[in-house]
Amino acid sequence: MAPALDTQMMARAIRLARRGIYSSRPNPTVGCVIVKDSEVIGEGYTQPYGHNHAEIEALENCRDNGNDPTGAIAYVTLEPCNHQGKTGPCADALIVAGIGKVIMAMRDPNPEGSGGIEKLNAAGIETQCGLLEAEAETINAGFYQRMRTGKPMVRVKMASSLDGRTAMASGESQWITGPAARADVQKLRARSDAIITGIGTVLADDPAMTVRDESLNVQFQPWRVIVDSNLRTPADAQILNAPERVLIAHAVPASGENASYLHLPDDAGHVSLTQLITQLGQRQINDILVECGPRLAGAFVSAGLVDELIVYMAATLMGSNAQPLLELPIDTMGEKINLRITDISKVGEDWRLTCLPAS
């Protein structure tokens, strides 16, 4: 069992890492705490893309406070990187600083960045890995999943009434939930590399699908991905306002100037959602948020592509003529899909349910 101080300091590093969850993309967010003689002498977390990683921030924090990191222990939520990107290798910086020991939550699954442990050991620095690993992994879940499987993490977000309805029969859906829930959705968008919606939502609501909350300090708007089998997206749709970060997945041959096109037909003449998720993973997209109507949401569930389902539920009734939460062709109890609820939280006047596939 790890000493209490080690656990306490790693927990502090994890809390630091969470501060960069919206601003560090496309890099994973990491926290670092430097401790000497049982006292914190420096700390930091991953800065926006192209700026300091957590270890560099913590070392600079040491020096800004007049502290010498020589012989100190560095607690880091992810193995220090060992490659030259926008910034230099963090493993090298720790070695030059004279750090005496590095305790990590987990190894870096990215082959481009791994090798930090070996470099530290070769320099005579003691290392330890695996402290609070599960807790650290939740911060960058999509990144770890893509590195291990090639598949991004897919979250499907829905808003429904208490009787499980998402829109009136006419398609009218604004607004089911209140301002607090809609503000919370901005955070989901901010932690996503791509937002997927369907042509039905584009035609009915003309959404922009962007992060509008400037306080979240996102550096890049998420990619917007439209599932549009027959290419019906209007040229003046709001979602096309930044065409360099829009993808249209379709099933018929096409070319165009306002977006990049992904021709991904399945055998039924629809867009292959499995191929779409694979293509996005190949584009180094880690976290996907699906915001769409019941038909496309049901198709994602039916295809077994959903890692997390988030439902914002309002204390209102919309009646039996309204559209259901999901379109799922289920006829018997034996076909039902079981979920595991991991969180229920009150958001303003609404409730947010977070569910995972039971399997």
Side-chain angles (χ1 to χ4, degrees):
M1 180 178 295
L5 180 64
D6 288 348
T7 302
Q8 178 186 345
M9 291 300 121
M10 185 60 75
R12 182 168 177 153
I14 289 172
R15 290 194 297 272
L16 280 167
R18 292 189 184 281
R19 296 185 187 179
I21 202 167
Y22 306 121
S23 58
S24 70
R25 293 177 181 278
N27 290 331
T29 180
V30 177
C32 177
V33 176
I34 299 177
V35 176
K36 192 172 187 178
D37 299 326
S38 300
E39 296 291 335
V40 175
I41 63 170
E43 59 185 9
Y45 62 93
T46 307
Q47 296 303 292
Y49 184 64
H51 296 280
N52 287 343
H53 289 190
E55 297 92 327
I56 309 301
E57 279 289 295
L59 289 171
E60 289 188 358
N61 185 233
C62 280
R63 292 163 187 142
D64 290 343
N65 294 328
N67 296 320
D68 180 6
T70 302
I73 301 174
Y75 296 84
V76 193
T77 57
L78 182 66
E79 176 185 9
C81 66
N82 185 36
H83 76 290
Q84 178 69 49
K86 292 285 186 179
T87 60
C90 292
D92 287 353
L94 294 172
I95 293 168
V96 171
I99 291 293
K101 182 177 181 179
V102 180
I103 298 178
M104 295 152 279
M106 60 190 304
R107 274 190 172 271
D108 190 343
N110 184 356
E112 291 184 1
S114 62
I117 290 177
E118 289 75 15
K119 177 172 280 190
L120 292 168
N121 291 158
I125 297 176
E126 181 183 353
T127 59
Q128 176 185 329
C129 190
L131 181 60
L132 299 186
E133 181 173 3
E135 292 86 343
E137 183 165 348
T138 61
I139 305 171
N140 301 294
F143 168 73
Y144 299 127
Q145 177 166 300
R146 183 177 67 84
M147 286 298 160
R148 291 166 179 159
T149 69
K151 176 182 174 292
M153 185 169 185
V154 178
R155 294 180 177 90
V156 173
K157 165 260 163 185
M158 306 290 289
S160 84
S161 60
L162 194 61
D163 52 349
R165 303 293 169 164
T166 59
M168 305 310 295
S170 64
E172 179 187 1
S173 62
Q174 296 180 335
W175 298 100
I176 297 173
T177 55
R182 296 198 294 274
D184 199 61
V185 172
Q186 289 289 302
K187 295 178 181 178
L188 290 179
R189 289 183 181 180
R191 66 180 301 178
S192 303
D193 301 301
I195 300 171
I196 296 178
T197 194
I199 182 59
T201 298
V202 171
L203 295 175
D205 299 334
D206 191 24
M209 291 296 181
T210 55
V211 180
R212 297 183 297 276
D213 187 343
E214 294 183 359
S215 70
L216 298 175
N217 194 29
V218 297
Q219 303 301 298
F220 305 98
Q221 285 289 342
W223 283 87
R224 275 89 68 211
V225 183
I226 309 168
V227 177
D228 182 6
S229 294
N230 296 308
L231 292 170
R232 295 186 292 150
T233 301
D236 61 350
Q238 284 197 82
I239 201 168
L240 300 179
N241 282 346
E244 71 278 2
R245 292 185 69 84
V246 178
L247 297 171
I248 297 180
H250 57 97
V252 296
S255 63
E257 298 179 355
N258 291 328
S260 296
Y261 288 81
L262 297 175
H263 186 220
L264 303 172
D266 63 13
D267 293 338
H270 304 299
V271 170
S272 169
L273 299 180
T274 300
Q275 290 185 49
L276 174 59
I277 297 304
T278 299
Q279 287 274 339
L280 295 179
Q282 291 172 355
R283 285 169 167 76
Q284 299 186 346
I285 286 173
N286 298 319
D287 290 89
I288 295 171
L289 179 64
V290 180
E291 292 191 58
C292 61
R295 180 175 298 177
L296 183 56
F300 268 98
V301 172
S302 296
L305 295 173
V306 179
D307 297 299
E308 189 172 80
L309 176 65
I310 300 173
V311 180
Y312 293 87
M313 184 170 288
T316 186
L317 302 173
M318 293 172 61
S320 57
N321 290 335
Q323 297 181 26
L325 183 67
L326 301 165
E327 286 191 15
L328 288 171
I330 293 176
D331 297 314
T332 67
M333 287 295 289
E335 297 174 284
K336 70 181 185 295
I337 297 172
N338 294 317
L339 303 173
R340 177 167 58 89
I341 297 176
T342 59
D343 181 70
I344 301 178
S345 302
K346 198 169 192 302
V347 182
E349 296 301 314
D350 306 308
W351 290 90
R352 183 187 62 219
L353 284 76
T354 303
C355 308
L356 306 179
S359 59

PDB file of all heavy atoms in Angstrom, residues 301-314:
ATOM      1  N   VAL A 301     -26.861   3.190 -30.709  1.00  0.00           N
ATOM      2  CA  VAL A 301     -27.041   2.167 -29.677  1.00  0.00           C
ATOM      3  C   VAL A 301     -27.123   0.783 -30.307  1.00  0.00           C
ATOM      4  O   VAL A 301     -26.482  -0.166 -29.848  1.00  0.00           O
ATOM      5  CB  VAL A 301     -28.298   2.469 -28.836  1.00  0.00           C
ATOM      6  CG1 VAL A 301     -28.596   1.304 -27.887  1.00  0.00           C
ATOM      7  CG2 VAL A 301     -28.114   3.752 -28.035  1.00  0.00           C
ATOM      8  N   SER A 302     -27.919   0.647 -31.363  1.00  0.00           N
ATOM      9  CA  SER A 302     -28.085  -0.649 -32.024  1.00  0.00           C
ATOM     10  C   SER A 302     -26.774  -1.189 -32.572  1.00  0.00           C
ATOM     11  O   SER A 302     -26.539  -2.397 -32.588  1.00  0.00           O
ATOM     12  CB  SER A 302     -29.112  -0.535 -33.162  1.00  0.00           C
ATOM     13  OG  SER A 302     -30.388  -0.205 -32.665  1.00  0.00           O
ATOM     14  N   ALA A 303     -25.889  -0.269 -33.013  1.00  0.00           N
ATOM     15  CA  ALA A 303     -24.600  -0.683 -33.567  1.00  0.00           C
ATOM     16  C   ALA A 303     -23.576  -1.003 -32.483  1.00  0.00           C
ATOM     17  O   ALA A 303     -22.460  -1.423 -32.797  1.00  0.00           O
ATOM     18  CB  ALA A 303     -24.061   0.401 -34.493  1.00  0.00           C
ATOM     19  N   GLY A 304     -23.941  -0.810 -31.218  1.00  0.00           N
ATOM     20  CA  GLY A 304     -23.020  -1.098 -30.120  1.00  0.00           C
ATOM     21  C   GLY A 304     -21.850  -0.127 -30.050  1.00  0.00           C
ATOM     22  O   GLY A 304     -20.770  -0.491 -29.589  1.00  0.00           O
ATOM     23  N   LEU A 305     -22.082   1.120 -30.466  1.00  0.00           N
ATOM     24  CA  LEU A 305     -20.998   2.096 -30.531  1.00  0.00           C
ATOM     25  C   LEU A 305     -20.996   3.081 -29.366  1.00  0.00           C
ATOM     26  O   LEU A 305     -20.120   3.940 -29.294  1.00  0.00           O
ATOM     27  CB  LEU A 305     -21.095   2.877 -31.846  1.00  0.00           C
ATOM     28  CG  LEU A 305     -20.893   2.069 -33.125  1.00  0.00           C
ATOM     29  CD1 LEU A 305     -21.197   2.928 -34.347  1.00  0.00           C
ATOM     30  CD2 LEU A 305     -19.472   1.518 -33.193  1.00  0.00           C
ATOM     31  N   VAL A 306     -21.955   2.980 -28.460  1.00  0.00           N
ATOM     32  CA  VAL A 306     -22.095   3.963 -27.386  1.00  0.00           C
ATOM     33  C   VAL A 306     -21.321   3.515 -26.154  1.00  0.00           C
ATOM     34  O   VAL A 306     -21.562   2.434 -25.619  1.00  0.00           O
ATOM     35  CB  VAL A 306     -23.576   4.192 -27.040  1.00  0.00           C
ATOM     36  CG1 VAL A 306     -23.704   5.200 -25.900  1.00  0.00           C
ATOM     37  CG2 VAL A 306     -24.344   4.674 -28.270  1.00  0.00           C
ATOM     38  N   ASP A 307     -20.409   4.369 -25.703  1.00  0.00           N
ATOM     39  CA  ASP A 307     -19.666   4.102 -24.475  1.00  0.00           C
ATOM     40  C   ASP A 307     -20.346   4.722 -23.263  1.00  0.00           C
ATOM     41  O   ASP A 307     -20.192   4.237 -22.137  1.00  0.00           O
ATOM     42  CB  ASP A 307     -18.247   4.653 -24.586  1.00  0.00           C
ATOM     43  CG  ASP A 307     -17.445   3.976 -25.690  1.00  0.00           C
ATOM     44  OD1 ASP A 307     -17.261   2.752 -25.597  1.00  0.00           O
ATOM     45  OD2 ASP A 307     -17.034   4.659 -26.636  1.00  0.00           O
ATOM     46  N   GLU A 308     -21.072   5.805 -23.484  1.00  0.00           N
ATOM     47  CA  GLU A 308     -21.726   6.499 -22.371  1.00  0.00           C
ATOM     48  C   GLU A 308     -22.969   7.200 -22.901  1.00  0.00           C
ATOM     49  O   GLU A 308     -22.922   7.850 -23.954  1.00  0.00           O
ATOM     50  CB  GLU A 308     -20.763   7.501 -21.745  1.00  0.00           C
ATOM     51  CG  GLU A 308     -21.236   8.136 -20.457  1.00  0.00           C
ATOM     52  CD  GLU A 308     -20.131   8.982 -19.811  1.00  0.00           C
ATOM     53  OE1 GLU A 308     -19.920  10.127 -20.261  1.00  0.00           O
ATOM     54  OE2 GLU A 308     -19.481   8.485 -18.878  1.00  0.00           O
ATOM     55  N   LEU A 309     -24.065   7.075 -22.173  1.00  0.00           N
ATOM     56  CA  LEU A 309     -25.320   7.741 -22.533  1.00  0.00           C
ATOM     57  C   LEU A 309     -25.641   8.745 -21.434  1.00  0.00           C
ATOM     58  O   LEU A 309     -25.713   8.387 -20.259  1.00  0.00           O
ATOM     59  CB  LEU A 309     -26.455   6.729 -22.671  1.00  0.00           C
ATOM     60  CG  LEU A 309     -27.847   7.298 -22.963  1.00  0.00           C
ATOM     61  CD1 LEU A 309     -27.889   7.962 -24.335  1.00  0.00           C
ATOM     62  CD2 LEU A 309     -28.904   6.194 -22.890  1.00  0.00           C
ATOM     63  N   ILE A 310     -25.812  10.019 -21.824  1.00  0.00           N
ATOM     64  CA  ILE A 310     -26.123  11.077 -20.875  1.00  0.00           C
ATOM     65  C   ILE A 310     -27.492  11.643 -21.234  1.00  0.00           C
ATOM     66  O   ILE A 310     -27.694  12.129 -22.352  1.00  0.00           O
ATOM     67  CB  ILE A 310     -25.059  12.179 -20.905  1.00  0.00           C
ATOM     68  CG1 ILE A 310     -23.688  11.595 -20.534  1.00  0.00           C
ATOM     69  CG2 ILE A 310     -25.428  13.315 -19.951  1.00  0.00           C
ATOM     70  CD1 ILE A 310     -22.544  12.576 -20.690  1.00  0.00           C
ATOM     71  N   VAL A 311     -28.421  11.567 -20.287  1.00  0.00           N
ATOM     72  CA  VAL A 311     -29.784  12.037 -20.518  1.00  0.00           C
ATOM     73  C   VAL A 311     -30.100  13.154 -19.532  1.00  0.00           C
ATOM     74  O   VAL A 311     -30.002  12.965 -18.312  1.00  0.00           O
ATOM     75  CB  VAL A 311     -30.816  10.905 -20.365  1.00  0.00           C
ATOM     76  CG1 VAL A 311     -32.229  11.440 -20.607  1.00  0.00           C
ATOM     77  CG2 VAL A 311     -30.514   9.763 -21.323  1.00  0.00           C
ATOM     78  N   TYR A 312     -30.448  14.318 -20.060  1.00  0.00           N
ATOM     79  CA  TYR A 312     -30.948  15.420 -19.241  1.00  0.00           C
ATOM     80  C   TYR A 312     -32.464  15.315 -19.232  1.00  0.00           C
ATOM     81  O   TYR A 312     -33.102  15.406 -20.286  1.00  0.00           O
ATOM     82  CB  TYR A 312     -30.510  16.761 -19.817  1.00  0.00           C
ATOM     83  CG  TYR A 312     -29.022  16.993 -19.750  1.00  0.00           C
ATOM     84  CD1 TYR A 312     -28.172  16.550 -20.768  1.00  0.00           C
ATOM     85  CD2 TYR A 312     -28.449  17.651 -18.663  1.00  0.00           C
ATOM     86  CE1 TYR A 312     -26.803  16.761 -20.705  1.00  0.00           C
ATOM     87  CE2 TYR A 312     -27.074  17.858 -18.590  1.00  0.00           C
ATOM     88  CZ  TYR A 312     -26.260  17.411 -19.617  1.00  0.00           C
ATOM     89  OH  TYR A 312     -24.900  17.617 -19.547  1.00  0.00           O
ATOM     90  N   MET A 313     -33.042  15.130 -18.047  1.00  0.00           N
ATOM     91  CA  MET A 313     -34.482  14.878 -17.943  1.00  0.00           C
ATOM     92  C   MET A 313     -35.174  16.040 -17.248  1.00  0.00           C
ATOM     93  O   MET A 313     -34.778  16.446 -16.149  1.00  0.00           O
ATOM     94  CB  MET A 313     -34.734  13.572 -17.183  1.00  0.00           C
ATOM     95  CG  MET A 313     -36.196  13.179 -17.108  1.00  0.00           C
ATOM     96  SD  MET A 313     -36.403  11.497 -16.460  1.00  0.00           S
ATOM     97  CE  MET A 313     -35.806  10.531 -17.862  1.00  0.00           C
ATOM     98  N   ALA A 314     -36.172  16.580 -17.913  1.00  0.00           N
ATOM     99  CA  ALA A 314     -36.934  17.701 -17.373  1.00  0.00           C
ATOM    100  C   ALA A 314     -38.211  17.201 -16.711  1.00  0.00           C
ATOM    101  O   ALA A 314     -38.800  16.200 -17.139  1.00  0.00           O
ATOM    102  CB  ALA A 314     -37.282  18.681 -18.491  1.00  0.00           C
TER     103      ALA A 314
END
